[in-house]
């Protein structure tokens, strides 16, 4: 009788003694345990390698569940293996755009040059003015936490279709406006675009997009006796810190407003401030420390925005201060001539030069945080502060004339370490603006 067909009772009465089965039980146990161990080991190996594949083979960067708890890859790991780049796509609520570094990209080509774009002022046309080195145009800003999309002219033009875009402020804001125009105009046929320059208002028109990209000159935002014509001596300038009326009538019915105001305020320690009309005389002015006058002027601007801008119709931006580099000792070059002959950005991640006043920056932040109308910062200060190499330096003009050979030989006096070459750093400012639109 076989074991496979025997009943328990038959097994007990079988001629085959039951003791003969005992040696088989340990053998079966060993076989079963070995099989279980192999199965478990195989399963764990599958799970382990599958989890590695899931983490490494992401199709695109995703926002981390908790950036505070996850250790981020180093820059070297990112450069050698792009699959370790866990930065998320730009999100203005999550990404600190100021936290990052400039990365050199030799293959990068600007969307325009100062020879291809007909709308650049000579002041910022550095190559035309004799600058030979070109590396300053091949640095890309790489935020630590997120990826910043490349500027796309076609998408940008479609985003402003049927809209008025206006940059308002000083000559640095004019540079950002010219940069934006040059970054999109090359896509538009010659008969479909035009530029009308004025003493206050300049308008670039993209006809087939029914859009205008405009610049309005208001270096203090509030009214001053130096708006036009410019008074060269800062001590002779008088401001009406309580009024933007002369300027603001041009800001109405604009869909995208981009303001700035900083460098003109920093030329003197005290600002002459006047209440009432300039026509009534300038005898009644009061001198205020610059931060106080700046606070009063920006509050006047903020009150106008809150009273006149419909946030459902108009978006408001504020470009933070553009740093100056007139003191080479800031970056350790004791015998330097300001920004002259600088060819690379500062690599020290903690650098903050004397040309960026944190107190003035906090004034803007405090006022904007109390406004009813939301204002978006284009935070350019920290990232621009590294770029000592990108100013127009001696490759510029002054008083409407290019620097003479004698002036170029004296960069300590004549190098312009306030304005930027174009193409250059302001293109990155517009890349950030583009990401917000």
């Amino acid at each position: 009788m076989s074991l496979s067909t025997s009943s328990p009772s038959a097994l007990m009465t079988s001629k085959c003694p039951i003791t003969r089965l005992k040696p088989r039980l340990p053998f079966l146990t060993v076989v079963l345990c070995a099989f279980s161990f192999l199965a478990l080991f195989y399963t764990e190996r599958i799970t382990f390698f599958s989890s590695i594949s899931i983490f490494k083979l992401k199709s695109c960067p995703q926002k981390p569940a908790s950036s505070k708890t996850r250790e981020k890859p180093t820059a070297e790991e990112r450069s050698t293996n792009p699959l370790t780049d866990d930065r998320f796509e730009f999100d203005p609520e999550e990404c600190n755009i100021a936290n990052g570094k400039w990365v050199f990209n030799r293959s990068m080509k600007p969307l325009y040059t100062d020879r291809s774009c007909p709308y650049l002022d000579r002041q910022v046309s550095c190559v035309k003015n004799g600058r030979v080195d070109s590396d300053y145009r091949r640095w890309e800003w790489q935020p630590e936490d997120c990826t910043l999309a490349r500027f796309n002219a076609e998408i940008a033009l479609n985003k402003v279709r049927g809209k008025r875009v206006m940059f308002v402020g000083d000559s640095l804001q004019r540079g950002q406006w010219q940069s934006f125009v040059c970054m999109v105009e090359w896509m538009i046929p010659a008969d479909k675009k035009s530029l009308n320059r004025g003493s206050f208002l300049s308008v670039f028109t993209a006809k087939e997009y029914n859009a205008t990209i405009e610049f309005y000159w208001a270096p203090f935002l509030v009214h001053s006796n130096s708006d036009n014509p410019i008074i060269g001596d800062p001590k002779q300038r008088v401001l009406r810190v309580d009024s933007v009326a002369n300027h603001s009538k041009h800001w109405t019915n604009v869909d995208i407003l981009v303001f700035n105001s900083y460098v003109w305020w920093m030329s003197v320690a005290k600002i002459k401030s006047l209440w009432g009309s300039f026509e009534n005389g300038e005898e009644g002015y009061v001198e205020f420390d610059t931060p106080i006058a700046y606070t009063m002027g920006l509050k006047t601007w903020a009150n106008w925005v809150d009273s006149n801008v419909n946030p459902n119709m108009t978006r408001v931006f504020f470009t933070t201060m553009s740093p100056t580099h007139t003191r080479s000792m800031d970056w350790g070059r004791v015998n330097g001539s300001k920004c002259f002959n600088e060819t690379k950005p500062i690599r020290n991640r903690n650098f903050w030069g004397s040309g960026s006043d944190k107190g003035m920056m906090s004034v803007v932040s405090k006022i904007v945080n109390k406004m009813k109308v939301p204002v978006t910062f284009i935070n350019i200060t920290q990232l621009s502060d590294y770029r000592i190499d990108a100013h127009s330096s001696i490759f510029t003009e002054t008083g409407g004339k290019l620097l003479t050979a004698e002036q170029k030989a004296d960069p300590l006096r004549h190098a312009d370490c306030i304005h930027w070459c174009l193409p250059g750093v302001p293109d990155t400012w517009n890349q950030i603006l583009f990401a917000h639109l």
Side-chain angles (χ1 to χ4, degrees):
M1 186 179 297
S2 67
L3 289 175
S4 60
T5 58
S6 298
S7 65
S9 58
L11 187 59
M12 295 296 291
T13 58
S14 170
K15 293 181 180 180
C16 300
I18 195 163
T19 55
R20 295 177 60 185
L21 292 175
K22 287 182 180 180
R24 297 185 181 183
L25 289 176
F27 175 76
L28 290 174
T29 302
V30 170
V31 171
L32 288 173
C33 289
F35 179 81
S36 300
F37 176 80
L38 289 172
L40 180 62
F41 178 75
Y42 180 77
T43 303
E44 287 298 310
R45 284 178 62 85
I46 291 292
T47 305
F48 174 74
F49 287 117
S50 296
S51 66
I52 290 178
S53 300
I54 289 171
F55 284 115
K56 281 194 175 182
L57 299 181
K58 294 179 181 178
S59 59
C60 61
Q62 298 292 323
K63 184 183 297 186
S66 176
S67 59
K68 293 182 179 179
T69 59
R70 181 164 59 185
E71 185 175 347
K72 295 181 180 179
T74 64
E76 289 74 20
E77 290 173 332
R78 286 175 177 166
S79 61
T80 56
N81 185 5
L83 295 178
T84 64
D85 188 346
D86 69 343
R87 294 178 301 155
F88 52 88
E89 293 181 7
F90 177 78
D91 181 341
E93 299 298 324
E94 298 289 338
C95 182
N96 178 6
I97 201 75
N99 182 24
K101 63 180 179 180
W102 289 98
V103 178
F104 187 73
N105 182 356
R106 187 169 294 280
S107 63
M108 186 180 76
K109 293 183 178 179
L111 293 173
Y112 66 96
T113 70
D114 58 1
R115 297 186 183 278
S116 68
C117 182
Y119 305 121
L120 291 179
D121 293 339
R122 286 199 305 179
Q123 184 185 43
V124 296
S125 300
C126 298
V127 173
K128 269 187 178 181
N129 298 335
R131 183 164 184 171
V132 177
D133 65 298
S134 60
D135 282 357
Y136 69 92
R137 298 180 294 180
R138 293 186 170 90
W139 291 91
E140 293 181 299
W141 180 249
Q142 180 179 290
E144 184 70 25
D145 301 320
C146 67
T147 56
L148 191 60
R150 293 279 180 89
F151 187 94
N152 186 301
E154 183 177 4
I155 294 176
L157 283 168
N158 280 314
K159 285 186 176 183
V160 302
R161 184 186 293 274
K163 293 181 171 61
R164 288 181 67 192
V165 182
M166 183 181 287
F167 294 82
V168 181
D170 55 27
S171 56
L172 291 160
Q173 197 74 339
R174 182 171 57 216
Q176 186 178 356
W177 164 70
Q178 290 181 24
S179 163
F180 195 97
V181 169
C182 290
M183 290 171 83
V184 299
E185 68 84 22
W186 60 272
M187 282 200 63
I188 307 171
D191 61 340
K192 300 291 185 181
K193 60 189 175 185
S194 63
L195 178 65
N196 181 24
R197 290 184 183 269
S199 56
F200 279 98
L201 181 63
S202 297
V203 181
F204 172 81
T205 302
K207 297 176 184 177
E208 61 182 314
Y209 292 90
N210 188 30
T212 59
I213 304 168
E214 310 173 27
F215 170 70
Y216 185 84
W217 171 257
F220 293 105
L221 297 183
V222 294
H223 190 199
S224 85
N225 66 343
S226 187
D227 290 336
N228 189 34
I230 294 172
I231 295 176
D233 183 359
K235 295 181 180 180
Q236 300 302 315
R237 296 171 183 169
V238 182
L239 279 60
R240 280 197 59 190
V241 291
D242 65 332
S243 177
V244 295
N246 278 33
H247 300 318
S248 59
K249 59 188 178 185
H250 298 279
W251 307 343
T252 57
N253 301 318
V254 176
D255 301 283
I256 299 171
L257 282 163
V258 187
F259 293 95
N260 97 314
S261 189
Y262 167 66
V263 72
W264 274 53
W265 295 85
M266 302 306 295
S267 56
V268 288
K270 292 184 178 292
I271 299 287
K272 294 178 180 178
S273 304
L274 175 75
W275 277 261
S277 172
F278 283 104
E279 284 71 21
N280 294 333
E282 300 174 3
E283 302 302 324
Y285 66 77
V286 178
E287 286 191 329
F288 293 106
D289 290 339
T290 295
I292 295 175
Y294 189 58
T295 301
M296 297 168 71
L298 282 190
K299 282 184 176 180
T300 300
W301 163 81
N303 289 337
W304 179 88
V305 172
D306 278 343
S307 302
N308 293 276
V309 169
N310 180 351
N312 296 319
M313 304 292 292
T314 301
R315 293 195 66 183
V316 181
F317 295 88
F318 198 100
T319 304
T320 62
M321 69 176 83
S322 175
T324 62
H325 294 105
T326 59
R327 190 174 180 270
S328 53
M329 288 183 64
D330 286 352
W331 54 93
R333 206 176 294 279
V334 178
N335 297 319
S337 299
K338 301 191 292 188
C339 64
F340 173 68
N341 251 0
E342 299 292 350
T343 58
K344 293 181 180 179
I346 292 171
R347 308 301 287 176
N348 178 8
R349 295 281 289 271
N350 298 317
F351 177 79
W352 189 276
S354 59
S356 303
D357 191 308
K358 290 185 178 181
M360 296 286 278
M361 200 168 181
S362 67
V363 168
V364 183
S365 179
K366 290 176 183 177
I367 290 173
V368 165
N369 287 338
K370 294 179 181 179
M371 293 174 65
K372 294 183 298 183
V373 173
V375 176
T376 302
F377 283 119
I378 305 175
N379 192 353
I380 66 159
T381 307
Q382 180 69 82
L383 64 93
S384 302
D385 214 1
Y386 300 128
R387 295 304 306 275
I388 56 175
D389 59 312
H391 289 288
S392 50
S393 185
I394 62 171
F395 308 103
T396 187
E397 65 175 11
T398 180
K401 297 180 180 180
L402 293 176
L403 265 62
T404 64
E406 184 180 355
Q407 289 172 322
K408 289 182 178 181
D410 188 6
L412 199 57
R413 289 182 59 194
H414 297 287
D416 182 350
C417 299
I418 296 175
H419 299 93
W420 306 90
C421 293
L422 290 178
V425 170
D427 299 338
T428 299
W429 305 352
N430 285 320
Q431 187 182 2
I432 298 169
L433 172 61
F434 170 76
H436 280 286
L437 290 178

